[in-house]
């Protein structure tokens, strides 16, 4: 194996590690998004006092404020998910390119 191939293999391994990290972060974001979705749904059925847990303290807050905060957090998570998906596509494309260089296969299946 020549130096160029060794460098390609090292790049491939590094990209695989990055891809694994992205996949783990996406899973965490999906769990957080699901939790927020459940909270948003629950807020629709709430009448009367509403509370929010801030650290270890339960604070009474306006229902609309809590709902607004939840929607804002969901939007931030959605943006982060879009960013991760873009990175995932880029890395997968680079992995495919490296695979083709290493195998001499130019997309022939």
């Amino acid at each position: 194996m020549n130096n160029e191939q060794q460098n390609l293999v090292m790049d491939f391994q590094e990209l695989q590690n990055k891809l694994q990290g992205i996949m783990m972060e996406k899973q965490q974001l999906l769990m957080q998004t699901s939790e927020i979705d459940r909270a948003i749904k629950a807020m629709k059925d709430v009448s009367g006092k509403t509370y929010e847990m801030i650290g270890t303290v339960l604070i009474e807050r306006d229902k609309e404020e809590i709902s607004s905060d939840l929607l804002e957090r969901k939007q931030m998570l959605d943006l982060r998910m879009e960013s991760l998906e873009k990175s995932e596509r880029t890395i997968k494309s680079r992995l495919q390119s490296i695979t083709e260089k290493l195998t001499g296969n130019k997309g022939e299946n």
Side-chain angles (χ1 to χ4, degrees), residues 64-107:
E64 286 73 28
E65 288 178 6
I66 294 173
S67 294
S68 176
D69 287 351
L70 289 170
L71 290 172
E72 186 177 317
R73 282 192 280 189
K74 184 172 176 4
Q75 288 174 342
M76 288 174 44
L77 291 174
D78 289 344
L79 287 173
R80 180 65 184 142
M81 182 66 80
E82 287 177 27
S83 174
L84 288 173
E85 288 172 348
K86 182 179 177 184
S87 295
E88 178 184 8
R89 286 190 300 273
T90 300
I91 288 173
K92 284 182 176 181
S93 175
R94 289 175 61 197
L95 286 169
Q96 179 65 33
S97 176
I98 290 172
T99 299
E100 290 171 0
K101 287 178 183 176
L102 288 172
T103 63
N105 182 358
K106 302 297 179 198

Side-chain angles (χ1 to χ4, degrees), residues 15-26 84:
L15 289 171
Q16 280 184 316
N17 289 337
K18 285 182 182 181
L19 184 59
Q20 183 178 9
I22 287 171
M23 301 303 282
M24 289 173 55
E25 188 172 350
K26 278 179 63 177
L84 288 173

Side-chain angles (χ1 to χ4, degrees), residues 7-20:
N7 288 338
L8 287 172
V9 168
M10 287 174 32
D11 289 345
F12 187 88
Q13 290 171 337
E14 181 181 328
L15 289 171
Q16 280 184 316
N17 289 337
K18 285 182 182 181
L19 184 59
Q20 183 178 9

